[in-house]
Amino acid sequence: MASTTTSILNSVFLFMIIFLGSTLADFNNEFDITWGDGRGKVINRDLLTLSLDKASGSGFESRNEYLFGKIDMQLKLVPGNSAGTVTAYYLSSKGSNWDEIDFEFLGNLSGDPYILHTNVFSQGKGNREQQFYLWFDPTADFHTYSILWNPQRIIFSVDGTPIREFKNAESIGVPFPKDRPMRIHSSLWNADDWATRGGLVKTDWSQAPFTASYRNFKADACVVASGKSSCSGSAASSSGNQAWLSEELDITKQERLRWVQKNYMIYNYCSDSKRFSQGFPPESIRSDYWRSWIIQSRRG
Ligand SMILES: *[C@@H]1O[C@H](CO)[C@@H](O)[C@H](O)[C@H]1NC(C)=O
């Protein structure tokens, strides 16, 4: 009896090892450390760390190029006094008319809040910043930062909670990133001329090296290689569930989004009437919940 139980447990255990082993992405296969002269490291295949000291930061990029995807990564940010440091995690294409989808984490003094800065570039033009505080300490543990990018929308999420949605508004003349494949990039660098309290707080190099960690990378995505997407043609039908390609926010997620925007958003280009005194960008005016937000903040 005991030995039957043991052998069942053994096979369950073996199954779990094989199963988990095949689903956890191996950082060595997915990414190249592109700069930092040894400051970026893959540890045991499923953990990657970047570090920054006075001489240099470091960074990595994905081997694959993606055109649409649902991409999750867990990050644990520089702890303690991280003022002046920026950890950037983003998708970007190449060339002068590049597209880009950005998460940037701006460090702070111990105990003071990080800022999560987001932006969307299409055809080389950004200026669509939204910034947030987080509802947890992003340095104490790993948290999941996700980008859902499909032809209709880009949704930024944190631990499954949407914080920002950028809709395709091409019908009113707003370019949307949908033609240029992008790579995932991340870097840890010194930006103490602007990052913390607008540049007032400088990097304390006595705290170096600063380290950010990455794990549990997961991409349900269309990989583009030699001009062909894995999501078109016969490869697509065999590769299974692509529900994310038309995913949108359900009612519960829309409520979560509003909760974040109401309680944690600290900057929104769509309500910056000083900056856009000549007129707001068209996508800001159209969006329904922004309209009420803008009206409120103008009244306020
Ligand atoms: C750092 O902390 C200060 C004081 O609480 C806050 O005003 C600022 O927004 C925080 N974040 C950054 C990145 O400056």
Side-chain angles (χ1 to χ4, degrees):
M1 185 65 194
S3 74
T4 322
T5 316
T6 315
S7 75
I8 289 173
L9 281 178
N10 274 343
S11 32
V12 167
F13 191 58
L14 195 66
F15 172 77
M16 281 175 64
I17 290 175
I18 294 166
F19 181 72
L20 291 175
S22 67
T23 54
L24 282 183
D26 181 339
F27 275 108
N28 288 310
N29 296 338
E30 301 290 336
F31 298 101
D32 288 314
I33 310 271
T34 42
W35 64 287
D37 200 15
R39 289 175 182 79
K41 290 191 190 93
V42 175
I43 299 157
N44 290 335
R45 309 195 306 178
D46 55 1
L47 178 71
L48 190 155
T49 59
L50 291 183
S51 78
L52 161 72
D53 56 43
K54 203 163 186 181
S56 177
S58 52
F60 66 87
E61 70 177 37
S62 63
R63 297 202 173 156
N64 285 332
E65 289 190 286
Y66 305 97
L67 189 59
F68 307 124
K70 187 174 189 173
I71 296 167
D72 300 341
M73 181 80 91
Q74 292 196 324
L75 274 75
K76 188 172 161 186
L77 300 171
V78 175
N81 180 358
S82 59
T85 72
V86 170
T87 306
Y89 172 67
Y90 59 103
L91 287 166
S92 176
S93 67
K94 288 201 205 77
S96 57
N97 287 327
W98 82 101
D99 297 330
E100 192 174 309
I101 303 170
D102 286 329
F103 277 116
E104 282 187 273
F105 301 88
L106 318 185
N108 217 332
L109 294 168
S110 296
D112 279 348
Y114 263 72
I115 288 177
L116 171 48
H117 173 99
T118 64
N119 204 353
V120 175
F121 283 70
S122 34
Q123 301 177 11
K125 197 175 154 287
N127 300 327
R128 301 192 181 97
E129 302 86 355
Q130 290 187 357
Q131 295 185 334
F132 307 84
Y133 287 143
L134 293 162
W135 50 96
F136 52 83
D137 174 359
T139 72
D141 241 312
F142 283 93
H143 291 270
T144 305
Y145 301 89
S146 311
I147 293 169
L148 169 69
W149 171 36
N150 67 31
Q152 298 83 37
R153 54 185 42 82
I154 294 164
I155 298 170
F156 297 78
S157 302
V158 177
D159 290 335
T161 293
I163 61 165
R164 173 171 190 179
E165 180 178 29
F166 182 78
K167 288 189 186 157
N168 184 328
E170 285 179 307
S171 62
I172 53 167
V174 181
F176 185 83
K178 65 168 203 322
D179 301 317
R180 278 166 283 269
M182 304 203 232
R183 277 182 217 277
I184 301 165
H185 299 256
S186 190
S187 55
L188 174 57
W189 45 290
N190 177 45
D192 66 1
D193 52 334
W194 60 270
T196 307
R197 297 181 57 200
L200 283 178
V201 187
K202 301 297 175 193
T203 304
D204 177 0
W205 293 111
S206 74
Q207 306 294 308
F210 302 97
T211 302
S213 310
Y214 303 74
R215 70 173 193 197
N216 288 356
F217 167 68
K218 181 168 177 270
D220 288 332
C222 306
V223 173
V224 177
S226 351
K228 279 223 176 92
S229 167
S230 63
C231 291
S232 53
S234 58
S237 37
S238 63
S239 73
N241 185 2
Q242 288 172 359
W244 59 267
L245 256 174
S246 56
E247 188 174 327
E248 51 185 51
L249 294 172
D250 62 20
I251 297 290
T252 315
K253 294 240 164 146
Q254 287 178 31
E255 274 164 16
R256 295 290 289 166
L257 177 65
R258 273 188 223 117
W259 172 78
V260 173
Q261 289 173 341
K262 182 161 175 270
N263 296 295
Y264 296 96
M265 181 183 266
I266 51 175
Y267 177 79
N268 178 10
Y269 76 112
C270 278
S271 58
D272 191 340
S273 46
K274 252 193 214 136
R275 178 174 173 191
F276 295 110
S277 58
Q278 305 299 312
F280 281 98
E283 76 273 16
S284 303
I285 294 160
R286 186 180 87 156
S287 158
D288 297 326
Y289 46 82
W290 290 127
R291 191 178 300 134
S292 61
W293 215 90
I294 292 162
I295 291 167
Q296 267 176 25
S297 62
R298 279 187 189 145
R299 281 199 193 123

